């Protein structure tokens, strides 16, 4: 792959459109703004990240998480850009590297758009509706690839669909984002048939032609049938996401008194040399507020990880451009940082992801999503029923729930459910069960 092709301002659905005007903002800055002002992005404010949505204590939701990932991703990409511009000084295309920060920041805003409500377990709940639940009855109605799409339902693939699919009444190209931004969100550039035991893939069958079009334009090679190389900037987006959710989840856990100040201090200081850790302890002693102490540590940890991940990317530029990079940037950092990061991950699994309040959200979310999937799927498959007719009246018109194609109808339900906020899903669940009525 070459940077001159990988950085493309061509927009999906607007390939034949040429705008002679000079704009104040670049194409990639306009992509960023377009996403900030979009409805799917705003809906993230009412989607759980890990902990229940905030009461008196602030914790992250999908929107604040995405904004922080975008901030970290931009910083990392700018560090990469600066180093690469020095390395490739004099090349006629080198100024294209200025745009890396905006491309990555936009990809970071987009990376969670396709995730369903109720946190990380929402994807699994949708998948198991088909593999274990009432959705099993559809097995013989779908092709092998279509079935693999639903039993491995993946938020990343759903994000690509949300950005690129022409929903009913919408324009060609979906959000008409630039090719480079679209490619930079696809973490798993292969179909669901290659999802493996982890169930990860990058695009549904319905969006594979779009992905192939983007890959061909940017010069992203197909390494083997159905398996493509990653766009290089995916590595930066992924690293920013990994850093934020790992570190910020621990900070939230401290605020909720799940992890003590002593535990988080020990974890975060382990990222640094003994000398630097001593200097940081001195600074912390000047702070009285425990949350400020943690915030100070967190900012330093993120800064150290961003700097080293940028170094790793540049040192592995050739392998990345050749599609031969193994693993993630975080896993190739300085051993001290890698060990400290892994310790944080172990603590998170021990104290956070099995915390009672997190499990409670997963249990409730599982019941709500499973019920909604069953009710909506029955409605689109049996539209003649009285209840189905009533329920389909509430179905957003942009989703093709009345298509003659069964897979399209199934996707309309997935589109609807995955786009719901926690609040909307709970409200609809209550109404469908007769537990909530409009005010009379």
């Amino acid at each position: 792959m070459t940077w001159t092709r990988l950085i493309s301002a061509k927009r999906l659905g607007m390939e034949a459109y040429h705008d002679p005007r000079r704009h104040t903002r670049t194409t990639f800055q306009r992509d960023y703004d377009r996403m900030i002002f979009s409805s799917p992005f705003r809906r993230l404010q009412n989607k759980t990240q890990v902990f229940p949505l905030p009461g008196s204590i602030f914790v992250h939701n999908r929107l604040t998480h995405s904004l922080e990932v975008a901030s970290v991703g931009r910083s990392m990409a700018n560090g990469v850009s600066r180093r690469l511009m020095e390395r490739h000084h004099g090349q006629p295309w080198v100024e294209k590297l200025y745009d890396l920060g905006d491309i990555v920041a936009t990809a970071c805003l987009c990376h969670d758009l396709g995730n369903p409500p109720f946190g990380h377990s929402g994807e699994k709940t949708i998948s198991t509706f088909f593999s274990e639940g009432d959705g099993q009855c559809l097995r013989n109605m779908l092709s092998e690839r279509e079935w693999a799409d639903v039993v491995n339902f993946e938020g990343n693939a759903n994000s690509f669909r949300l950005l690129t699919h022409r929903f009913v009444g919408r324009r060609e190209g979906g959000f008409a984002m630039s090719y480079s931004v679209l490619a930079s969100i696809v973490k798993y550039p292969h179909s669901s048939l290659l999802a493996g035991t982890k169930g990860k893939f990058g695009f549904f069958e319905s969006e594979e032609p779009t992905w192939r079009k983007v890959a061909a334009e940017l010069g992203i090679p197909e390494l083997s049938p159905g398996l493509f190389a990653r766009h290089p900037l995916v590595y930066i987006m992924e690293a920013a996401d990994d850093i934020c959710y790992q570190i910020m989840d621990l900070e939230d856990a401290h605020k909720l008194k799940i992890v003590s100040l002593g535990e988080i201090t020990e974890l975060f200081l382990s990222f640094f040399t003994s000398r630097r850790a001593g200097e940081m302890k001195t600074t912390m002693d000047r702070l009285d507020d425990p949350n400020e102490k943690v915030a100070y540590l967190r900012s330093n940890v993120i800064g150290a990880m961003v700097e080293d991940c940028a170094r790793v990317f540049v040192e592995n530029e050739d392998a990345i451009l050749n599609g031969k990079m193994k693993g993630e940037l975080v896993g190739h950092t300085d051993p001290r940082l890698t060990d400290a990061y892994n310790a944080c991950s172990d603590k998170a699994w021990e104290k956070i992801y099995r915390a009672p309040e997190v499990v409670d959200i997963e249990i409730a979310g599982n019941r709500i999503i499973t019920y909604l999937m069953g009710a909506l799927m029955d409605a689109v498959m049996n539209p003649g029923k009285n209840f189905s007719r009533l329920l389909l009246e509430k179905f957003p018109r942009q989703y093709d729930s009345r298509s003659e194609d069964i897979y399209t109808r199934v996707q309309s339900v997935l589109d609807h459910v995955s786009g719901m906020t926690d609040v909307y899903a709970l409200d609809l669940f209550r109404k469908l069960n007769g537990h909530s009525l409009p005010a009379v």
Side-chain angles (χ1 to χ4, degrees):
M1 293 176 279
T2 62
W3 288 114
T4 187
R5 288 186 67 184
L6 289 166
I7 304 173
S8 171
K10 183 178 284 189
R11 290 188 178 279
L12 184 68
M14 300 178 66
E15 292 85 355
Y17 180 71
H18 299 284
D19 188 352
R21 295 175 298 164
R22 291 177 60 86
H23 291 277
T24 302
R25 299 168 297 155
T26 68
T27 293
F28 306 115
Q29 288 169 341
R30 290 159 66 194
D31 280 344
Y32 184 91
D33 294 347
R34 183 171 298 183
M35 191 47 48
I36 284 285
F37 285 93
S38 71
S39 295
F41 183 72
R42 290 198 301 270
R43 284 199 295 268
L44 295 178
Q45 69 180 313
N46 276 319
K47 286 191 175 185
T48 297
Q49 173 67 11
V50 174
F51 296 105
L53 293 177
S56 58
I57 299 176
F58 170 80
V59 293
H60 289 80
N61 53 45
R62 290 279 185 190
L63 185 139
T64 50
H65 167 72
S66 296
L67 288 170
E68 289 173 348
V69 174
S71 178
V72 171
R74 185 189 297 277
S75 295
M76 194 183 301
N78 285 341
V80 168
S81 174
R82 185 173 61 254
R83 291 171 170 86
L84 290 182
M85 290 184 75
E86 293 175 358
R87 172 179 291 177
H88 299 294
H89 178 71
Q91 294 293 332
W93 48 264
V94 74
E95 288 192 0
K96 281 193 168 190
L97 296 171
Y98 276 121
D99 293 317
L100 296 192
D102 290 324
I103 296 172
V104 169
T106 307
C108 290
L109 291 183
C110 297
H111 83 284
D112 268 354
L113 288 181
N115 283 65
F118 302 110
H120 298 287
S121 66
E123 292 167 289
K124 189 65 175 178
T125 300
I126 291 176
S127 297
T128 54
F129 171 80
F130 296 99
S131 63
E132 301 175 5
D134 292 344
Q136 292 180 84
C137 67
L138 297 169
R139 176 65 185 90
N140 295 327
M141 303 181 195
L142 301 175
S143 69
E144 180 186 7
R145 170 70 183 280
E146 291 167 347
W147 183 248
D149 280 355
V150 297
V151 296
N152 295 293
F153 179 83
E154 225 292 320
N156 191 244
N158 202 41
S159 294
F160 188 75
R161 173 177 170 81
L162 184 61
L163 290 171
T164 63
H165 184 69
R166 187 178 187 179
F167 291 99
V168 178
R170 303 301 175 90
R171 67 179 174 184
E172 185 70 32
F175 278 84
M177 304 293 277
S178 66
Y179 279 38
S180 293
V181 165
L182 292 174
S184 296
I185 71 165
V186 181
K187 292 172 65 175
Y188 317 105
H190 53 75
S191 77
S192 57
L193 293 177
L194 300 176
T197 56
K198 293 185 177 180
K200 300 295 185 181
F201 65 102
F203 42 84
F204 297 116
E205 182 180 40
S206 50
E207 280 67 60
E208 181 167 345
T210 301
W211 165 254
R212 287 185 173 277
K213 183 178 182 179
V214 170
E217 173 66 24
L218 301 180
I220 299 174
E222 187 170 7
L223 304 175
S224 61
L227 174 64
F228 291 78
R230 280 178 158 189
H231 189 290
L233 299 186
V234 170
Y235 287 96
I236 301 178
M237 181 275 290
E238 177 183 56
D241 185 31
D242 289 346
I243 292 168
C244 284
Y245 81 72
Q246 200 66 264
I247 303 305
M248 302 311 299
D249 285 355
L250 283 167
E251 185 173 9
D252 282 349
H254 171 259
K255 290 179 180 177
L256 295 170
K257 303 187 185 309
I258 295 172
V259 176
S260 69
L261 177 60
E263 287 177 298
I264 203 165
T265 298
E266 181 180 357
L267 286 169
F268 285 179
L269 286 179
S270 66
F271 282 84
F272 305 97
T273 63
S274 56
R275 178 179 177 180
R276 177 60 182 145
E279 294 171 349
M280 293 171 67
K281 286 180 181 179
T282 300
T283 301
M284 289 177 63
D285 289 340
R286 301 192 188 105
L287 303 172
D288 294 326
D289 187 340
N291 289 331
E292 285 298 308
K293 292 176 185 284
V294 173
Y296 167 73
L297 290 171
R298 174 256 300 156
S299 65
N300 278 274
V301 168
I302 291 178
M305 291 295 293
V306 164
E307 184 70 18
D308 210 51
C309 283
R311 174 193 63 80
V312 171
F313 185 98
V314 174
E315 289 182 357
N316 289 276
E317 181 191 11
D318 288 343
I320 290 171
L321 290 176
N322 288 315
K324 296 181 179 179
M325 178 71 172
K326 302 296 183 183
E328 303 153 353
L329 297 184
V330 168
H332 292 276
T333 53
D334 179 276
R336 183 181 65 255
L337 297 180
T338 302
D339 290 345
Y341 180 88
N342 289 337
C344 288
S345 180
D346 292 342
K347 181 64 69 173
W349 278 108
E350 174 193 347
K351 287 289 192 77
I352 297 176
Y353 304 130
R354 295 298 90 194
E357 50 268 70
V358 175
V359 175
D360 287 345
I361 280 287
E362 292 185 358
I363 291 172
N366 183 290
R367 294 298 89 192
I368 293 169
I369 291 176
T370 299
Y371 177 83
L372 294 179
M373 286 288 297
L376 293 169
M377 202 65 73
D378 184 59
V380 300
M381 298 304 294
N382 302 287
K385 291 182 178 180
N386 180 53
F387 185 68
S388 295
R389 288 198 298 270
L390 292 172
L391 191 51
L392 289 174
E393 285 299 313
K394 293 184 63 64
F395 222 94
R397 299 303 180 195
Q398 71 188 63
Y399 305 136
D400 195 3
S401 60
R402 301 175 189 273
S403 171
E404 294 184 3
D405 177 62
I406 290 177
Y407 182 56
T408 300
R409 276 183 269 163
V410 170
Q411 282 192 305
S412 74
V413 174
L414 297 177
D415 292 331
H416 188 20
V417 172
S418 64
M420 293 179 182
T421 64
D422 294 18
V423 174
Y424 180 86
L426 175 59
D427 181 59
L428 183 59
F429 173 79
R430 287 170 171 167
K431 286 178 179 176
L432 295 184
N433 282 283
H435 297 156
S436 176
L437 293 172
V440 178

